[in-house]
Amino acid sequence: MAKLRETLNRVGLNTFFFLLIGMIFLASTFPDWGAEAILDPLKTITGIGISFIFFFYGVKLSPEKLKQGLSNWKLHVLVQSTTFLIFPLVVLLLYFFWGDEANLFWIGTFYLAALPSTVSSSVVMVSIAGGNLPAAIFNASISSIVGIFITPLWMDLMLPETAVDFDLTDTIFKLSFQVLVPVILGLFFHKYLVNFVNKFQATLKNIDQAIILLIIFTAFAESFLANMFDGHSVAELVLLGVLMLAFFLLMMGVMYLLSKALKFSREDMITVIFCGSKKSMIQGAVMGRVMFPDPVVFGVMLLPLMIYHAQQLMVGSAIAQKLGDGKSSGQ
């Protein structure tokens, strides 16, 4: 049990995770803080903060390691196809039979399906489970960059049928300016600033997390202020949680079957399972802040992602620990 708690902490189920939950309760308790006049300075701070996050993300990327990771192309194609193709197609299939275009939870579920994979938690879980770590680092890094373009394209396909306002050209321009340009600049300054980033990694991480907390608070505060959650019972939210868990396990199962069909090694299979089934809460928050300027809508859309995020940490950590124990015991 102690080992599992340590694993949960390493992958992100820690103080920051509970602060995320706390932001929702704070927003629901004090929705008046979501008044536009109060939030305007916070929105300016978060806008600058998003670029700050991705600049230092670019600094942390190693161009040499990215080049080294290019060789295992079959694994990379499967992980990226799963992240940006299979995930959204599964949700679209379910939406075709049971979806409701007026239900923002459905749109939020599709949004999480179109997002890139996580970086830190995917890599940590692959490491714990005994997978192909260099391939995990490569895919997690590439996924974050590719998502800047692929995620808006999927949302443009989905949202014209809904009441959510979405402009593809404007969105890609804003994401390029606010996310891609800082990443490229960070890569350029990698050799000059990487030691600084490594030295102050804890401080920079705290700043990143503070920006994410502001985004979560501003989105949910205005959603509660506009009574966007009225009409959604506790039973409905519990059902959403059960469905997100089933979705996560389904995608892990799909990853396993595809890896077996392609006769991947155990190490590569583990990398596919954990990198292919994860979705990034951080990128979901920062990209959504740019893509969906109406925080009233965005707060509701974030809920499926936050639930999925919690479950992928808890369930994924337990599975990674089990796989790691199995390898060490020779199974």
Side-chain angles (χ1 to χ4, degrees):
M1 194 66 182
K3 189 180 290 187
L4 177 58
R5 283 197 298 269
E6 180 184 353
T7 301
L8 291 173
N9 184 66
R10 288 175 64 189
V11 299
L13 199 60
N14 49 22
T15 303
F16 174 63
F17 170 76
F18 293 106
L19 284 173
L20 284 174
I21 305 301
M23 287 297 102
I24 299 178
F25 284 107
L26 185 66
S28 66
T29 305
F30 303 102
D32 289 341
W33 292 4
E36 188 172 343
I38 297 176
L39 290 182
D40 277 345
L42 295 182
K43 290 176 182 177
T44 301
I45 293 171
T46 55
I48 297 171
I50 289 170
S51 297
F52 177 91
I53 289 172
F54 281 94
F55 172 76
F56 283 103
Y57 171 71
V59 172
K60 287 184 284 187
L61 289 177
S62 170
E64 291 75 20
K65 288 183 179 179
L66 289 178
K67 291 176 184 177
Q68 292 171 6
L70 288 172
S71 59
N72 200 349
W73 64 270
K74 190 183 294 186
L75 184 151
H76 305 326
V77 169
L78 179 56
V79 171
Q80 299 306 317
S81 297
T82 300
T83 302
F84 295 114
L85 186 61
I86 297 177
F87 250 101
L89 288 178
V90 168
V91 176
L92 275 179
L93 182 63
L94 296 173
Y95 180 83
F96 178 78
F97 290 103
W98 296 291
D100 176 5
E101 67 181 30
N103 190 325
L104 290 176
F105 287 162
W106 265 107
I107 304 172
T109 301
F110 186 82
Y111 177 56
L112 87 83
L115 284 170
S117 177
T118 61
V119 178
S120 58
S121 64
S122 292
V123 172
V124 169
M125 288 186 190
V126 168
S127 176
I128 292 169
N132 186 335
L133 193 57
I137 295 171
F138 176 85
N139 277 284
S141 301
I142 291 299
S143 175
S144 298
I145 297 173
V146 172
I148 296 171
F149 303 99
I150 301 298
T151 302
L153 287 174
W154 270 119
M155 297 312 296
D156 183 60
L157 175 67
M158 179 70 170
L159 293 180
E161 304 302 321
T162 73
V164 179
D165 185 31
F166 186 81
D167 185 332
L168 176 63
T169 303
D170 184 59
T171 295
I172 291 181
F173 174 78
K174 287 180 179 178
L175 284 175
S176 297
F177 180 75
Q178 204 163 6
V179 176
L180 183 61
V181 171
V183 169
I184 293 173
L185 286 173
L187 272 169
F188 178 79
F189 286 101
H190 169 79
K191 61 182 178 180
Y192 305 108
L193 295 177
V194 67
N195 291 332
F196 170 83
V197 169
N198 291 333
K199 182 178 180 180
F200 295 99
Q201 188 169 358
T203 301
L204 292 172
K205 182 179 180 180
N206 289 336
I207 295 174
D208 290 356
Q209 291 178 345
I211 297 299
I212 302 303
L213 291 174
L214 280 177
I215 292 173
I216 298 298
F217 173 75
T218 55
F220 277 91
E222 293 204 23
S223 293
F224 281 114
L225 190 64
N227 301 314
M228 289 294 288
F229 291 100
D230 287 1
H232 296 294
S233 65
V234 174
E236 187 177 1
L237 296 178
V238 171
L239 177 60
L240 179 63
V242 171
L243 291 174
M244 289 301 101
L245 177 59
F247 186 34
F248 174 65
L249 294 175
L250 170 66
M251 297 312 299
M252 290 198 85
V254 169
M255 298 304 93
Y256 173 77
L257 292 175
L258 289 174
S259 299
K260 292 286 284 187
L262 292 171
K263 299 179 180 179
F264 280 1
S265 66
R266 182 185 187 277
E267 289 75 16
D268 285 353
M269 182 186 299
I270 287 171
T271 301
V272 171
I273 289 173
F274 286 103
C275 288
S277 62
K278 299 289 183 299
K279 291 296 178 177
S280 175
M281 175 67 209
I282 290 178
Q283 285 208 249
V286 297
M287 289 175 65
R289 165 70 167 71
V290 176
M291 293 168 63
F292 310 109
D294 184 353
V296 173
V297 170
F298 183 47
V300 181
M301 287 179 58
L302 267 181
L303 197 58
L305 175 59
M306 294 188 71
I307 294 173
Y308 188 93
H309 171 74
Q311 293 172 342
Q312 74 181 7
L313 290 178
M314 292 184 286
V315 179
S317 298
I319 294 173
Q321 192 68 61
K322 184 68 175 178
L323 289 171
D325 291 343
K327 182 182 180 182
S328 63
S329 62
Q331 295 177 358

